Amino acid sequence: MGLRDDLERFRDVGEQRREDLQEFISYGNLGGSGPNSIKVPIKVVDLPEFAYDPRDEGGVGQGQDGTPEEGQQVGEPEDGDGDEDGDPGEESAEHEYYEMDPEEFARELDEELGLDLEPKGKEVIEETEGDFTEFARAGPNSTLDFERLFKAGLKRKLAMDFDEEFVREAMRVAGADPQAVYRWCRERNILVSLSWIEDQWGTIPDDERGRWESFDEVEANVDRETTLQRIRRQGLRNVPFRREDERYRHPEVIERKEKNVVVVNIRDVSGSMREKKRELVERTFTPLDWYLTGKYDNAEFVYIAHDADAWEVEREEFFGIRSGGGTKISTAYELAKQVLEEQYPWAEWNRYVFAAGDSENSSNDTTENVLPLMREIPANLHAYVETQPGGTAINATHAEEVEREFEDAGNVVVAYVSSPEDVIDAIYDILSTEDDS
């Protein structure tokens, strides 16, 4: 293997490969990315290069003007010489990361975790004409489906056709009358009308009546010609078209529905939500925001913070806010319900309601208020993420109550995150739980 091949191999396994997404989500610097630009660190390896031996650059200790005296300066000082406490350099180092948009992030996460979320279209934003596959009883002559019309007429002709000469021979049976001939034809599935027999009855000469003693004698002595034999002999002279057989082709109307989503992120900011808990919320919610932004045509986000009260905040504030107050989770759901009903109708928007906290809540608020509110808010998915580093606290029961109440619901999920290692599992559980109904 030559140096060039070695170099390409190093590049393949190093510089051009992104850091594992799971590692980035669990431990990376999520704050260095924005809503629409995710900066994922890349793994860099030293590339092989030629190095020259400094001993080949000349003799050792040989000056041009003889041996210098002790203490004599032998050259101009170069930048960087001197004390280590000199002024810092002004040049910035090159940061090694791979930048991707939310669409690519969503594709990568799908592949990484084996997800398969198919966004649902809600509001119709465009109607286009497709192929001429729809039919109506009226329309311009240029769109008349003649093939369909001909087939309908031909089917009718084949159903109504019969051997006229064969029936006329039956009129020559001794003692027969039109009614007797009609009944005989019907018994043999000859689709002839009584009016036609009565009309043809007078065309039979009197001296030919009584040629046959019975209808059985007619059948034994007269060959009955089939419709196919008659068409081959005479050709297809006419087809009985009818107005009701006409169908006019129209283009299929194709509706394109915009895939709209609103994500309501709810976070407990009470005094018990210390730094490690806040970090776990950020590590869980931030990738979810990126993922849904990449999946949907139009994604909007609502950020609600709460302690004993709830208020709407901007994204930049959401993860850093901390309050000294108590906790009443239902206030956040009341605000979420109000915002969704006023701005994001269920008929037009997909909805995700994500809440996170340490599962501590005021007495009876979960059972009396939060659970009923969750039922009242239509959503593709309700999720609660419990963030309790080191495990669940004794008085942290909100997540368990939600999980127990909605155990059989297809659109409610509870995830437990006690360390960064749990984040990926929580994200997978959330994104793979959405109800398809």
Side-chain angles (χ1 to χ4, degrees):
M1 179 181 291
L3 180 62
R4 184 179 299 277
D5 295 330
D6 225 11
L7 178 61
E8 292 301 324
R9 183 174 63 84
F10 269 78
R11 284 182 174 144
D12 285 342
V13 301
E15 192 173 45
Q16 294 181 351
R17 293 190 62 181
R18 292 181 294 281
E19 186 177 60
D20 184 88
L21 273 188
Q22 298 189 34
E23 182 180 341
F24 168 63
I25 292 171
S26 297
Y27 301 102
N29 177 22
L30 304 184
S33 304
N36 297 303
S37 177
I38 300 99
K39 296 180 178 180
V40 183
I42 61 174
K43 297 175 181 178
V44 180
V45 297
D46 291 331
L47 299 179
E49 60 182 6
F50 286 110
Y52 294 93
D53 190 340
R55 290 173 298 178
D56 292 338
E57 295 180 358
V60 179
Q62 299 295 324
Q64 292 182 352
D65 298 321
T67 304
E69 298 293 333
E70 183 178 349
Q72 178 181 343
Q73 183 171 314
V74 296
E76 295 295 328
E78 297 180 359
D79 293 339
D81 289 348
D83 296 336
E84 293 182 359
D85 298 331
D87 294 334
E90 296 182 357
E91 294 183 2
S92 60
E94 182 179 354
H95 297 281
E96 300 293 346
Y97 59 82
Y98 179 86
E99 190 168 351
M100 63 173 75
D101 57 25
E103 289 82 0
E104 184 177 357
F105 178 84
R107 289 194 302 270
E108 292 284 341
L109 196 61
D110 277 341
E111 183 176 348
E112 187 88 9
L113 302 185
L115 296 168
D116 188 23
L117 175 63
E118 183 60 37
K120 301 176 179 66
K122 285 279 188 174
E123 185 181 10
V124 177
I125 61 169
E126 183 182 7
E127 292 185 352
T128 58
E129 292 186 352
D131 296 333
F132 280 74
T133 56
E134 302 293 329
F135 295 92
R137 292 184 177 273
N141 290 334
S142 60
T143 63
L144 175 65
D145 191 336
F146 183 76
E147 181 179 352
R148 188 186 184 101
L149 175 65
F150 180 80
K151 286 180 178 179
L154 181 60
K155 185 176 180 181
R156 181 178 297 106
K157 179 176 177 61
L158 295 175
M160 296 173 58
D161 190 68
F162 61 92
D163 187 347
E164 296 180 5
E165 290 302 322
F166 185 69
V167 176
R168 288 192 183 94
E169 284 299 323
M171 297 179 191
R172 294 179 170 87
V173 173
D177 61 11
Q179 287 287 348
V181 174
Y182 178 71
R183 286 194 300 271
W184 175 77
C185 288
R186 287 295 171 176
E187 289 172 359
R188 284 148 184 81
N189 295 320
I190 301 174
L191 301 180
V192 59
S193 65
L194 178 59
S195 61
W196 185 88
I197 294 174
E198 291 173 339
D199 182 64
Q200 295 293 315
W201 191 262
T203 64
I204 305 300
D206 292 338
D207 60 348
E208 294 183 9
R209 296 188 187 280
R211 175 185 294 178
W212 311 105
E213 292 294 330
S214 66
F215 291 117
D216 290 340
E217 189 178 357
V218 173
E219 291 185 74
N221 293 278
V222 180
D223 291 332
R224 180 180 172 184
E225 190 176 39
T226 66
T227 300
L228 182 57
Q229 290 171 334
R230 197 161 38 258
I231 290 176
R232 286 176 175 174
R233 178 172 55 83
Q234 298 177 352
L236 194 61
R237 296 183 179 180
N238 56 75
V239 176
F241 297 127
R242 291 186 181 177
R243 188 76 176 178
E244 59 265 28
D245 295 333
E246 294 181 357
R247 294 294 184 274
Y248 295 84
R249 290 178 286 108
H250 288 270
E252 177 189 6
V253 177
I254 301 173
E255 294 181 345
R256 189 173 78 86
K257 294 183 177 182
E258 186 173 37
K259 298 171 183 176
N260 296 328
V261 66
V262 56
V263 183
V264 180
N265 286 320
I266 298 171
R267 186 174 83 80
D268 181 1
V269 299
S270 63
S272 63
M273 288 294 292
R274 294 183 172 83
E275 183 178 355
K276 287 187 177 180
K277 297 179 181 179
R278 296 200 305 270
E279 180 188 350
L280 294 176
V281 175
E282 181 178 8
R283 289 203 174 278
T284 306
F285 277 10
T286 301
L288 288 173
D289 283 6
W290 290 336
Y291 181 85
L292 293 173
T293 299
K295 279 288 184 177
Y296 283 87
D297 297 328
N298 179 30
E300 295 195 14
F301 296 87
V302 176
Y303 297 94
I304 295 176
H306 77 87
D307 44 26
D309 295 306
W311 62 98
E312 204 171 334
V313 298
E314 296 297 324
R315 182 182 188 276
E316 292 74 17
E317 306 173 65
F318 183 70
F319 296 111
I321 291 179
R322 182 180 176 184
S323 166
T327 307
K328 191 174 182 181
I329 300 175
S330 62
T331 59
Y333 280 91
E334 288 169 356
L335 179 57
K337 181 182 178 183
Q338 177 184 340
V339 171
L340 290 172
E341 288 179 350
E342 293 177 356
Q343 302 178 38
Y344 304 97
W346 176 233
E348 299 176 9
W349 290 82
N350 293 282
R351 293 170 170 179
Y352 292 83
V353 181
F354 298 152
D358 56 13
S359 275
E360 298 179 16
N361 196 12
S362 58
S363 178
N364 299 325
D365 182 54
T366 298
T367 56
E368 294 179 2
N369 301 310
V370 177
L371 301 181
L373 282 166
M374 291 176 68
R375 292 191 193 94
E376 294 171 12
I377 301 175
N380 299 58
L381 182 63
H382 284 277
Y384 184 79
V385 180
E386 178 186 287
T387 55
Q388 275 284 3
T392 304
I394 297 176
N395 58 340
T397 62
H398 176 76
E400 293 178 358
E401 292 178 60
V402 172
E403 189 172 33
R404 184 166 54 249
E405 180 68 20
F406 295 102
E407 182 179 3
D408 298 326
N411 67 332
V412 179
V413 60
V414 175
Y416 297 89
V417 179
S418 58
S419 68
E421 287 86 351
D422 300 328
V423 171
I424 289 297
D425 289 338
I427 290 174
Y428 177 83
D429 290 343
I430 292 169
L431 294 177
S432 60
T433 302
E434 180 180 348
D435 191 359
D436 292 331
S437 61

